[in-house]
Amino acid sequence: MESGKVQVVINVHRAALQFINGVKQYHLTHELIEEGFSISPDELAEITGMREDSTILKLHGGTSGISRKIKASLQDGINETEITTRQKLYGTNKHAEKPARSFWMFVWDALHDLTLNILIVCALVSLVVGLATEGWPKGIYDGLGIMLSILLVVLVTASSDYKQSRKFMELDHEKQKIYVLVTRDKKTKKVLIHDLVVGDILHLSIGDVVPADGLFISGYCLLVDESSLSGESEPIQVSEEKPFLHGGSKVVDGTAKMLVTAVGSRTEWGKIMGTLSDSGVDETPLQVKLNGVATIIGQIGLVFAILTFVVLLGRFLVNKGMAVGLMNWSANDALTIVNYFAIAVTIIVVAVPEGLPLAVTLSLAFAMKKLMNDKALVRHLAACETMGSVSCICTDKTGTLTTNHMIVDKVWISDVSKSVNGDAKISELKSVISERAMAILVQGIFVNTGSEVVKGDDGKRTILGTPTEAALLEFGLTVERDRYTEYNKIQRVRVEPFNSVKKKMSVIIQLPNGGFRSFCKGAPEIILEHCNDMLNGEGDIVPLSDMQKQNVLNIINSFASEALRTLCIAFQDLDEFSDEQTIPENGYTLIALFGIKDPVRPGVRDAVMTCMAAGITVRMVTGDNINTAKAIAKECGILTEDGIAIEGHELHDKSSDELRELLPKIQVMARSLPMDKFKLVTSLKSMYQEVVAVTGDGTNDAPALCESDIGLAMGIAGTEVAKENADVIIMDDNFKTIVNVARWGRAVYLNIQKFVQFQLTVNIVALIVNFVSACVIGTAPLTAVQLLWVNMIMDTLGALALATEPPNEEMMKRSPVRRGDSFITKVMWRNILGQALYQLLVLGTLMIVGKRLLNIEGPTADKTINTLIFNSFVFCQVFNEINSREMDKINVFRGIFRNWIFVGILTATVIFQVIIVELLGTFANTVPLSLELWLLSIVLGSVSMIVSVILKCIPVESGKRFAKPHGYELIPEGPEAL
């Protein structure tokens, strides 16, 4: 949604508030009083509104006073049993949705097509003139036939559009399935944002989008971005003094607990959303490009239609002038001219390929639905087609290439390095480390954490938090479970949550016996620089010599070379600490080094190999230690012998020429900051015109996600800000799913190419046959009703059949389509022109010498040969639809029975063709055909498949493609690939 549009609404909303004088009088309803609430929903919403009047808040007793009035405990939350009551009295957390369009609205839209309107006028004129000249019922057949055909076109078009709108509505609802952490009944749990109610205690952390209005309860360093609401770009500090939080704002830094005071349409964001209308689905780049193609073809069709009408009318006038004179007119003459005009208009209907945008929409919607089942939520339509052209994937390591189920595998403490993957080994560690050292280590783990232990509905205790934090906390609980409650009660004076720029988390605690202690943990090379001392085996503080520091670095590298994620923890005792002071940066004592194991996901190596074979370069971009990154990259098959691994900061030290030479070789970028990832993406796009897909999970990944051609956010580990800036959300955080998105993207692109090839063939043949026959014979063999049926086959039904072909493995053995490549390839032109030439030859032969060759005589000879031409033309399209399943390969039947939509449409087309020819001749201007002529039509159509085989043996230059990646051979395109 355009920010300017939102901003206008905000300004109007604020201006309106200026007219509100004094304090409003709010009345409690009988239901509120009966349930024990003492504040109305409107007054509650007003308190946390954009005016942010802290005076009114103080009159109500501040945040704690508000919590009492809405029967919410700031520690324990609300009771689950009150949810329904609160939703009834204070509203649900849902915004007013635009009502769904009914089927009849789509019918009405379809009836607004200009060419169809002209045809309706022609049909009405035909009815009037027919009744006047031929009487009832014979006089209505031509007009009624056109009317019924138009009705069928309208109903099929409306049904297709209605079905697609329903699919997109389902996808929109899926996008809104966002979970948040709340405390209810003393338990912390995840709930959908739509299930939030007034009184909920909501937990916020970096990257969250605030889902409702509320008041700050407690937290650390909370910064929120309210630019979507206020237009102010600077983040706002939220604290107990300024406790107002608004739905739609984003958490930039810090953590907090918030009391929900307004939900749904009563929030500031809800009021704004209620005044904005949905602008609909944006057209994708491919739809825009194909709309241009459709316009050009339509203009060519218009020229042919005018020429056909002029030639038919000219011949009619010449014949009439020579026979009875131009002054002698009858109603039959008027009917003939109306029919000529109807044919001309129908040629335009056939020529205008309105099926092109429909094919794109159908193919994209089909792919989106299938990808949803495969754990990928496509947020923007264009993402499907762009993913098919991706030449480079910059992927995170943790959770994407690895399982994201972390455990502490090794620990170094007091010069002792031990494996700790089991209770026996932890007991062994405790036996060699002093109690004092172990106590400081466990205290540091328990107080300096972003995770927490919560009790679920089943009574079991689980750890909530990031996988790394959860692994450390789990290790701490295994070592000293009894001390968790004790240490958790210690007052935290200052907390600096972890973020990807600082790469560390720090906390200051007040010790029970007086004094303060600072803990910090994070990337080993950063923490190590802050340390002057270390703990020895007795738990005493000793100086950290240069030799000892080098020894620690060697331990870090040895852990990293085993593909372990490394993390350091350190502490510092302070005599005093004031609110004005910041957490110290230096003077720390090193406690321990952790090696955290995160196994590679099964199937990732195969998925990487699939990408390489498809011409897609996979680059790992991670914040981890370079040795850890290299070990994992080798295990995944990303880092090859001729590839290199670098650290993020090295990109900024290179000149443009050095960067140009370095980029193709980079396969791993470690210790990467968000702006390093951004630099890599922009360089790949500008220097090598690569189509880049980027994965991201953090708030700071938003710039790279926006800059990339395809932003892929992680559904499990990803923050809401990352998801908002992404094109596709990978619901299971799995790299294999990313490859599946690329596979479907290629299928979309190829399916639309197949459809365009099929449709252009029909267009060329239909236009030339009617135009040439008008010039040579003076009549058009294909009537308006027949052409409308052909239009139905090639537009709606053709789009349904060809646009829903699932991907196959061969698609991932070709190089990607590069930027600027022509959509209609030389291979497609070869197939289009070859098939069109064959069909024109067949239909031309039947038109000119068909009666003599087939010995067709009698009063219905003309109608019989025209019916045979129509029948043969339709069967040519049926078989050409099968040919279009493969543009290069000879075997067009591979997997045909797995696509029931394709088989069903072909079968339905043949059945309807039999009905039209044999039973609806009165309307379609056909006569029943003998079995021999039916077989002839089918044989003539099936010969197009032999023509297709011959065409595919003609070598065609495929055009340039991306250079193949090092060490991988791409299969060729064209006939040599057979």
Side-chain angles (χ1 to χ4, degrees):
M1 191 170 294
E2 294 177 7
S3 58
K5 201 172 177 184
V6 174
Q7 214 47 54
V8 168
V9 176
I10 292 168
N11 293 336
V12 171
H13 181 56
R14 282 183 163 173
L17 287 173
Q18 301 304 317
F19 290 96
I20 302 171
N21 297 314
V23 179
K24 284 186 183 177
Q25 293 299 312
Y26 296 98
H27 301 285
L28 289 174
T29 63
H30 174 69
E31 289 90 347
L32 282 166
I33 296 168
E34 198 175 67
E35 293 293 341
F37 298 103
S38 52
I39 189 167
S40 73
D42 290 328
E43 185 174 6
L44 200 53
E46 184 72 17
I47 290 168
T48 49
M50 288 302 287
R51 290 199 299 175
E52 297 185 356
D53 193 342
S54 55
T55 310
I56 302 174
L57 179 61
K58 284 175 184 174
L59 288 174
H60 286 279
T63 303
S64 57
I66 294 290
S67 70
R68 286 192 295 273
K69 291 186 176 187
I70 56 176
K71 294 169 56 184
S73 165
L74 295 180
Q75 286 75 40
D76 303 337
I78 60 170
N79 294 324
E80 288 275 8
T81 53
E82 296 177 349
I83 301 295
T84 308
T85 305
R86 289 175 183 271
Q87 286 178 333
K88 179 184 172 186
L89 298 175
Y90 286 96
T92 57
N93 198 30
K94 293 180 180 177
H95 304 302
E97 288 187 359
K98 196 176 178 184
R101 301 185 76 208
S102 68
F103 172 73
W104 299 109
M105 292 174 81
F106 285 100
V107 171
W108 181 248
D109 287 345
L111 284 168
H112 279 73
D113 185 87
L114 179 62
T115 49
L116 286 182
N117 288 340
I118 296 170
L119 275 177
I120 290 169
V121 172
C122 291
L124 291 172
V125 172
S126 180
L127 277 170
V128 172
V129 175
L131 283 169
T133 55
E134 299 182 45
W136 178 271
K138 195 176 179 184
I140 68 165
Y141 291 152
D142 284 348
L144 191 59
I146 296 172
M147 291 290 276
L148 289 173
S149 300
I150 291 168
L151 181 64
L152 188 60
V153 169
V154 166
L155 288 175
V156 171
T157 304
S159 298
S160 178
D161 289 345
Y162 176 70
K163 190 178 177 186
Q164 294 320 307
S165 77
R166 287 289 176 189
K167 277 186 183 173
F168 289 129
M169 279 183 68
E170 286 172 22
L171 287 167
D172 280 338
H173 288 145
E174 201 65 38
K175 290 177 198 173
Q176 293 167 18
K177 286 185 179 177
I178 299 166
Y179 287 88
V180 290
L181 276 179
V182 297
T183 298
R184 289 177 181 172
D185 286 330
K186 301 181 181 180
K187 298 168 189 168
T188 304
K189 56 171 64 179
K190 286 184 177 182
V191 299
L192 279 168
I193 56 166
H194 293 323
D195 295 333
L196 271 182
V197 294
V198 167
D200 263 327
I201 307 302
L202 178 67
H203 298 248
L204 297 173
S205 56
I206 297 175
D208 285 346
V209 175
V210 182
D213 287 0
L215 297 168
F216 177 90
I217 300 170
S218 63
Y220 309 101
C221 311
L222 187 66
L223 278 177
V224 295
D225 173 10
E226 289 195 345
S227 57
S228 58
L229 285 161
S230 65
E232 295 294 329
S233 56
E234 285 297 313
I236 296 165
Q237 180 102 33
V238 180
S239 60
E240 289 179 13
E241 290 73 38
K242 290 183 69 180
F244 303 101
L245 285 155
H246 300 115
S249 54
K250 302 175 181 73
V251 179
V252 177
D253 201 1
T255 59
K257 285 203 293 184
M258 156 188 158
L259 174 67
V260 176
T261 58
V263 292
S265 57
R266 284 194 174 92
T267 64
E268 289 301 308
W269 187 248
K271 291 168 189 171
I272 294 163
M273 299 306 284
T275 59
L276 295 171
S277 59
D278 185 17
S279 56
V281 179
D282 293 333
E283 284 191 326
T284 73
L286 190 54
Q287 281 177 318
V288 172
K289 188 188 289 187
L290 290 179
N291 282 339
V293 173
T295 303
I296 293 167
I297 296 170
Q299 289 167 348
I300 294 168
L302 179 63
V303 171
F304 270 88
I306 292 169
L307 287 174
T308 303
F309 179 69
V310 168
V311 170
L312 286 171
L313 184 62
R315 288 183 67 111
F316 171 74
L317 292 174
V318 168
N319 290 336
K320 182 174 177 59
M322 292 173 65
V324 295
L326 292 175
M327 301 306 292
N328 188 9
W329 288 84
S330 66
N332 274 330
D333 295 336
L335 186 61
T336 303
I337 293 171
V338 167
N339 283 337
Y340 287 162
F341 185 67
I343 288 167
V345 173
T346 311
I347 286 173
I348 298 172
V349 173
V350 174
V352 175
E354 64 268 26
L356 285 180
L358 174 65
V360 178
T361 309
L362 278 170
S363 193
L364 290 172
F366 182 70
M368 286 169 81
K369 189 173 171 60
K370 292 293 182 183
L371 282 170
M372 174 62 73
N373 297 335
D374 292 340
K375 304 294 183 185
L377 171 61
V378 180
R379 296 185 73 248
H380 304 132
L381 263 183
C384 266
E385 65 190 46
T386 311
M387 198 65 193
S389 301
V390 161
S391 58
C392 169
I393 298 174
C394 297
T395 176
D396 282 335
K397 175 185 76 68
T398 307
T400 309
L401 299 171
T402 58
T403 59
N404 213 19
H405 180 69
M406 299 191 188
I407 54 167
V408 176
D409 188 63
K410 285 191 172 182
V411 173
W412 174 92
I413 179 170
S414 305
D415 257 345
V416 175
S417 181
K418 288 281 183 184
S419 174
V420 289
N421 55 1
D423 291 342
K425 292 187 176 180
I426 287 176
S427 299
E428 190 181 322
L429 175 71
K430 290 169 75 175
S431 68
V432 295
I433 303 298
S434 69
E435 281 189 24
R436 184 171 185 274
M438 195 59 76
I440 293 173
L441 171 65
V442 172
Q443 187 182 57
I445 291 172
F446 287 160
V447 300
N448 190 23
T449 181
S451 291
E452 61 177 317
V453 180
V454 298
K455 189 186 284 186
D457 291 332
D458 55 1
K460 290 183 180 177
R461 293 185 180 273
T462 55
I463 299 173
L464 289 178
T466 63
T468 308
E469 292 275 22
L472 282 178
L473 190 53
E474 194 172 342
F475 170 75
L477 290 168
T478 309
V479 174
E480 290 282 359
R481 181 177 293 275
D482 298 338
R483 294 205 177 194
Y484 177 71
T485 307
E486 176 196 337
Y487 285 153
N488 212 31
K489 289 177 182 175
I490 293 175
Q491 184 188 351
R492 292 168 176 81
V493 179
R494 182 76 55 83
V495 175
E496 283 185 4
F498 179 87
N499 70 42
S500 57
V501 176
K502 294 181 293 187
K503 292 195 180 294
K504 66 174 184 175
M505 178 181 181
S506 304
V507 65
I508 299 269
I509 61 169
Q510 187 162 13
L511 296 171
N513 57 354
F516 299 87
R517 181 170 285 171
S518 173
F519 285 101
C520 70
K521 69 176 181 193
E525 60 269 32
I526 291 173
I527 303 299
L528 205 55
E529 284 301 310
H530 298 334
C531 294
N532 301 329
D533 304 305
M534 63 172 281
L535 278 183
N536 66 12
E538 300 303 316
D540 298 323
I541 297 173
V542 295
L544 183 64
S545 64
D546 289 341
M547 191 172 77
Q548 191 65 51
K549 193 174 279 192
Q550 187 57 50
N551 181 42
V552 174
L553 286 171
N554 292 338
I555 297 289
I556 291 168
N557 290 333
S558 72
F559 279 12
S561 63
E562 295 176 46
L564 298 179
R565 190 172 202 176
T566 53
L567 202 75
C568 264
I569 184 166
F571 83 104
Q572 178 179 175
D573 283 333
L574 306 166
D575 293 328
E576 55 183 33
F577 184 81
S578 65
D579 291 342
E580 290 74 32
Q581 285 179 268
T582 57
I583 296 178
E585 290 287 329
N586 296 301
Y588 281 88
T589 299
L590 181 64
I591 305 172
L593 169 70
F594 298 99
I596 300 171
K597 190 175 185 179
D598 187 12
V600 171
R601 283 182 183 272
V604 161
R605 188 178 181 87
D606 291 339
V608 170
M609 293 299 127
T610 301
C611 284
M612 298 297 194
I616 301 171
T617 306
V618 180
R619 292 179 169 92
M620 181 200 286
V621 183
T622 178
D624 264 352
N625 176 291
I626 192 164
N627 292 317
T628 306
K630 283 162 73 174
I632 294 285
K634 283 177 182 173
E635 194 177 340
C636 296
I638 293 172
L639 187 59
T640 57
E641 288 182 7
D642 48 359
I644 62 168
I646 65 164
E647 292 193 346
H649 65 85
E650 294 178 45
L651 275 186
H652 301 278
D653 303 332
K654 306 291 181 187
S655 66
S656 294
D657 290 338
E658 288 174 327
L659 199 57
R660 190 183 297 276
E661 187 180 341
L662 185 69
L663 276 176
K665 300 173 187 173
I666 295 174
Q667 292 175 341
V668 176
M669 190 163 79
R671 287 296 179 223
S672 160
L673 296 175
M675 291 317 292
D676 300 333
K677 188 186 283 192
F678 181 79
K679 171 87 171 174
L680 178 66
V681 172
T682 52
S683 301
L684 285 168
K685 286 178 69 178
S686 61
M687 292 183 177
Y688 285 92
Q689 285 71 53
E690 297 239 27
V691 180
V692 184
V694 171
T695 68
D697 52 18
T699 305
N700 292 317
D701 286 327
L705 289 171
C706 288
E707 180 61 25
S708 65
D709 296 285
I710 292 288
L712 303 160
M714 300 298 107
I716 299 168
T719 62
E720 288 309 315
V721 173
K723 291 174 190 176
E724 271 193 0
N725 287 280
D727 302 291
V728 180
I729 298 172
I730 307 300
M731 309 297 278
D732 60 355
D733 291 14
N734 195 339
F735 186 77
K736 285 172 71 177
T737 306
I738 297 171
V739 178
N740 209 26
V741 176
R743 184 181 283 111
W744 271 101
R746 292 192 175 195
V748 166
Y749 196 87
L750 194 61
N751 285 348
I752 297 163
Q753 281 187 316
K754 292 173 186 177
F755 175 71
V756 168
Q757 175 182 298
F758 168 69
Q759 190 172 50
L760 288 182
T761 306
V762 187
N763 273 354
I764 290 169
V765 176
L767 291 177
I768 293 175
V769 163
N770 266 19
F771 175 68
V772 171
S773 63
C775 295
V776 176
I777 306 170
T779 60
L782 299 173
T783 66
V785 173
Q786 291 169 1
L787 283 173
L788 282 169
W789 168 235
V790 171
N791 184 63
M792 176 84 69
I793 294 171
M794 75 176 193
D795 271 349
T796 310
L797 297 181
L800 271 169
L802 291 169
T804 54
E805 280 278 315
N808 56 58
E809 290 307 314
E810 291 299 315
M811 290 177 185
M812 296 304 282
K813 293 179 183 175
R814 301 171 180 273
S815 49
V817 178
R818 66 180 301 166
R819 294 183 197 272
D821 272 7
S822 174
F823 180 76
I824 304 176
T825 63
K826 292 178 182 177
V827 169
M828 289 169 69
W829 279 122
R830 175 197 67 190
N831 296 340
I832 291 165
L833 296 176
Q835 285 292 340
L837 192 63
Y838 165 72
Q839 290 183 28
L840 287 170
L841 189 66
V842 168
L843 300 181
T845 304
L846 289 176
M847 193 165 53
I848 297 165
V849 294
K851 284 190 283 187
R852 184 160 52 82
L853 279 175
L854 300 171
N855 200 22
I856 298 172
E857 297 173 344
T860 60
D862 287 339
K863 266 197 172 183
T864 302
I865 200 67
N866 282 346
T867 302
L868 180 61
I869 290 169
F870 167 57
N871 211 35
S872 302
F873 182 49
V874 168
F875 274 101
C876 280
Q877 306 329 313
V878 168
F879 284 100
N880 194 35
E881 206 163 340
I882 299 172
N883 292 333
S884 297
R885 292 188 73 243
E886 289 285 354
M887 288 189 283
D888 287 331
K889 302 286 189 297
I890 288 173
N891 183 9
V892 294
F893 292 102
R894 184 182 59 178
I896 191 168
F897 293 108
R898 288 199 296 270
N899 187 354
W900 61 268
I901 297 176
F902 187 90
V903 175
I905 285 170
L906 277 190
T907 306
T909 303
V910 172
I911 291 168
F912 273 111
Q913 181 64 14
V914 172
I915 292 169
I916 287 169
V917 171
E918 297 295 324
L919 303 176
L920 299 177
T922 310
F923 300 108
N925 205 22
T926 58
V927 292
L929 295 177
S930 63
L931 181 61
E932 290 80 7
L933 293 180
W934 268 104
L935 288 172
L936 177 62
S937 298
I938 294 168
V939 168
L940 290 172
S942 62
V943 170
S944 70
M945 301 194 75
I946 298 170
V947 173
S948 177
V949 172
I950 295 167
L951 289 171
K952 287 170 185 175
C953 291
I954 301 171
V956 173
E957 178 74 31
S958 297
K960 293 180 181 178
R961 296 291 183 191
F962 277 110
K964 64 191 178 191
H966 301 293
Y968 294 92
E969 193 68 38
L970 301 182
I971 67 162
E973 295 191 62
E976 65 269 28
L978 297 174

